[in-house]
Amino acid sequence: MKTLRIKDNSRQNKATFSHIGNLVGKIADKTLEQLEREGIFVFPEIVRDAEDITQDQLLLQSVNDTYCSGNVMGFIGCGDERLIIESRFCKEGEDYFFQYLLDKVLDFPNLTNLETDAHQDQRLFNFLLFLFPHYLRAALRKGLFKQYIRHSFNDRNVKGTIDVTRHIETNTPFVGNIAYSQREFSYDNSLIELVRHTIEFIKRKPYGKRLLNKVKDEVKLITEATSGYTPYDRQKIIEQNKKSPVRHAYFREYLALQRLCLLILRYQKHHIGMGSRQIFGVVFDGAWLWEEYINTLIGDLFYHPLNKGGQGAQRLFSGNIGLIYPDFISRDNETRVIADAKYKPLGNIGNRDYLQVLAYMFRFDAKSGYYFYPEADDSDDQQLWLNRGSTYEGNVRPRDDISLIKHGLKIPLGAHDYAEFTALIKLQEQQFINALAA
């Protein structure tokens, strides 16, 4: 197995990638949208729904004699070549921070310690399995998926379209039955059957019951809806779903669930990535994970509008003009505060970031704004006071009432294991929250 580990948002000489040249040739300078179509599973489920990650973002961009990685972390493979993209906020040989984000946001077990090549593919498969509850829950928020299906009958109670060819084959000599088919709108369709097959597959895993217990109500709904479930129909159901992806925009969550179920079920049969031509993998949007993680810490103090879920939308102007989704709006409306989560180092927060938050502050009459960022060094908070006046009149002065504060959460480095990292970062979380509540 040929493996390379790199950091997100890093630049490496192209020679570094020479031993995984086949894989790099298939992913370099391709957008995440293209890679999604070719076999890479991108989380969140559809890249167009995340503000900080775009469809035209590149996983690996060629710049002169180097390759630059983007704002995603994860695992990509092709044949016997593997690329692991770790968080830049970690030391060599460990990626506890990425694991911790997955644990806090998606309730993942410790799967990111990909130390041995022999277990890398199995851990990739585990990524897919542990994503299943999230996607199942998201899809069923839209209700059970109904679809027109056609049932075949052969009796005397004709209630549909007569199937002449089948009737002749089945009912010769004629004994009174008629072969016909009937189209009905049903929950028990190929997509819901695919979900049921995936549930039954996961149940047989050692950790399956614990995993499905997170979505036991959703599992019950699927089970009750699939009265026609037959274990031996799995391959037929897989083929039906491969040919008929969900197309209606309203059910886009079901499309993501369908893709995930197909990956899980086909992995076992075909082993994803067999052969030298097929690429596969799972990548996560680091900015989205960071923002949702911050929400787990400050949810009691701030509202958290959700662009991806269409919740908490705000408008800049009257007449429903200027749709905006600030990351965080303080619940205290007397001294309103606007905050933005940035998955980038302190020095990379710059002009465009300032303009966005200042616009939100102006909209909500906020005198204070915050940037929440992961801090790898021992830097103090940086407070920026807004200027007044103009250079033309020579009267530029800092205001004393409007400021932006860069407030970092210290990411522990040098932990001996994940348990120690968890204990250390919890102390940093408490300091982070205390500074906001002061």
Side-chain angles (χ1 to χ4, degrees):
M1 194 80 71
K2 304 169 187 176
T3 302
L4 176 66
R5 294 170 181 266
I6 64 173
K7 304 295 185 183
D8 66 26
N9 287 274
S10 66
R11 180 177 295 212
Q12 307 283 338
N13 192 286
K14 286 184 177 179
T16 308
F17 297 80
S18 59
H19 64 296
I20 58 166
N22 185 41
L23 170 59
V24 171
K26 294 182 181 299
I27 66 174
D29 298 318
K30 288 189 177 180
T31 67
L32 289 173
E33 184 181 27
Q34 289 175 312
L35 294 175
E36 262 195 323
R37 292 197 298 263
E38 295 181 19
I40 302 295
F41 201 84
V42 180
F43 186 92
E45 47 267 33
I46 300 176
V47 295
R48 69 177 63 92
D49 293 328
E51 285 190 314
D52 295 294
I53 187 172
T54 59
Q55 288 176 279
D56 58 356
Q57 183 173 321
L58 304 179
L59 184 69
L60 204 62
Q61 183 177 12
S62 176
V63 180
N64 297 324
D65 293 328
T66 64
Y67 284 119
C68 299
S69 58
N71 209 34
V72 295
M73 298 171 279
F75 179 97
I76 308 98
C78 180
D80 64 348
E81 299 176 0
R82 305 290 182 268
L83 176 65
I84 299 171
I85 305 176
E86 302 173 325
S87 168
R88 66 195 130 156
F89 299 100
C90 70
K91 293 183 66 175
E92 295 298 328
E94 56 90 355
D95 199 5
Y96 300 140
F97 180 52
F98 178 31
Q99 164 58 40
Y100 189 72
L101 291 179
L102 293 175
D103 184 17
K104 292 287 287 185
V105 176
L106 298 172
D107 196 19
F108 262 43
N110 188 1
L111 297 173
T112 58
N113 184 22
L114 306 176
E115 292 298 331
T116 61
D117 291 338
H119 295 136
Q120 284 175 3
D121 289 353
Q122 181 58 44
R123 284 165 180 158
L124 165 64
F125 184 51
N126 288 340
F127 270 132
L128 300 176
L129 291 182
F130 281 93
L131 281 171
F132 179 77
H134 172 86
Y135 282 80
L136 179 62
R137 190 182 297 114
L140 284 181
R141 288 193 190 107
K142 293 286 178 70
L144 274 173
F145 181 80
K146 293 182 76 173
Q147 192 175 45
Y148 279 107
I149 59 173
R150 187 170 292 278
H151 291 294
S152 297
F153 301 93
N154 187 47
D155 54 39
R156 303 182 182 187
N157 303 313
V158 180
K159 294 181 179 179
T161 304
I162 296 176
D163 189 337
V164 177
T165 302
R166 185 165 59 88
H167 175 72
I168 293 173
E169 292 176 352
T170 307
N171 299 318
T172 303
F174 183 66
V175 292
N177 289 338
I178 303 294
Y180 64 97
S181 61
Q182 190 175 31
R183 192 166 178 256
E184 64 177 358
F185 208 38
S186 174
Y187 292 122
D188 194 0
N189 51 67
S190 62
L191 175 54
I192 301 301
E193 285 282 346
L194 179 73
V195 179
R196 173 69 182 276
H197 279 278
T198 307
I199 289 171
E200 297 301 327
F201 173 78
I202 293 175
K203 278 182 181 178
R204 296 198 298 273
K205 296 295 179 182
Y207 43 77
K209 290 184 178 179
R210 177 170 61 89
L211 182 63
L212 294 175
N213 193 51
K214 300 176 184 178
V215 284
K216 57 185 178 182
D217 292 337
E218 289 84 353
V219 168
K220 182 181 178 182
L221 272 175
I222 296 294
T223 303
E224 291 175 348
T226 50
S227 58
Y229 166 77
T230 304
Y232 302 106
D233 284 345
R234 178 187 295 176
Q235 192 55 41
K236 179 182 77 174
I237 295 297
I238 289 174
E239 293 301 321
Q240 289 175 352
N241 279 271
K242 284 169 56 180
K243 295 175 183 177
S244 303
V246 177
R247 299 190 184 280
H248 198 291
Y250 179 77
F251 290 108
R252 59 200 175 106
E253 291 85 358
Y254 271 103
L255 174 60
L257 178 62
Q258 184 184 46
R259 290 186 63 238
L260 180 61
C261 289
L262 285 172
L263 278 173
I264 290 172
L265 296 178
R266 293 176 68 198
Y267 184 100
Q268 194 70 10
K269 183 174 179 61
H270 302 292
H271 189 66
I272 292 177
M274 282 190 66
S276 61
R277 301 180 63 185
Q278 184 180 1
I279 61 172
F280 62 98
V282 182
V283 294
F284 296 81
D285 172 16
W288 184 89
L289 283 174
W290 173 250
E291 181 181 324
E292 295 307 307
Y293 163 59
I294 290 296
N295 186 50
T296 67
L297 302 180
I298 65 172
D300 291 339
L301 300 174
F302 287 83
Y303 300 113
H304 180 38
L306 298 175
N307 181 18
K308 198 167 71 67
Q311 300 174 18
Q314 309 292 324
R315 303 282 177 172
L316 281 174
F317 306 105
S318 61
N320 279 339
I321 297 172
L323 178 65
I324 56 172
Y325 288 91
D327 286 354
F328 298 100
I329 306 170
S330 69
R331 295 178 183 272
D332 182 356
N333 60 8
E334 295 296 326
T335 54
R336 186 76 79 188
V337 175
I338 300 297
D340 199 29
K342 290 296 180 188
Y343 179 68
K344 57 175 69 173
L346 173 67
N348 289 3
I349 301 174
N351 286 348
R352 291 182 62 185
D353 302 319
Y354 300 150
L355 294 175
Q356 182 186 52
V357 171
L358 284 169
Y360 293 162
M361 290 170 60
F362 185 67
R363 159 65 178 83
F364 292 98
D365 295 321
K367 299 295 185 180
S368 297
Y370 277 88
Y371 294 106
F372 300 140
Y373 68 97
E375 177 58 68
D377 302 315
D378 290 320
S379 299
D380 294 330
D381 283 1
Q382 185 179 42
Q383 188 166 15
L384 306 174
W385 295 95
L386 185 67
N387 273 336
R388 57 158 44 102
S390 167
T391 55
Y392 292 108
E393 285 81 36
N395 60 352
V396 176
R397 298 288 185 275
R399 302 174 62 119
D400 59 4
D401 59 340
I402 299 178
S403 67
L404 286 174
I405 301 171
K406 298 179 181 180
H407 183 47
L409 192 154
K410 173 72 175 176
I411 309 301
L413 299 177
H416 294 95
D417 53 33
Y418 183 64
E420 182 182 355
F421 175 89
T422 301
L424 291 172
I425 198 170
K426 286 188 179 301
L427 295 175
Q428 298 299 328
E429 289 172 351
Q430 194 57 55
Q431 293 181 21
F432 178 84
I433 296 169
N434 290 344
L436 294 176

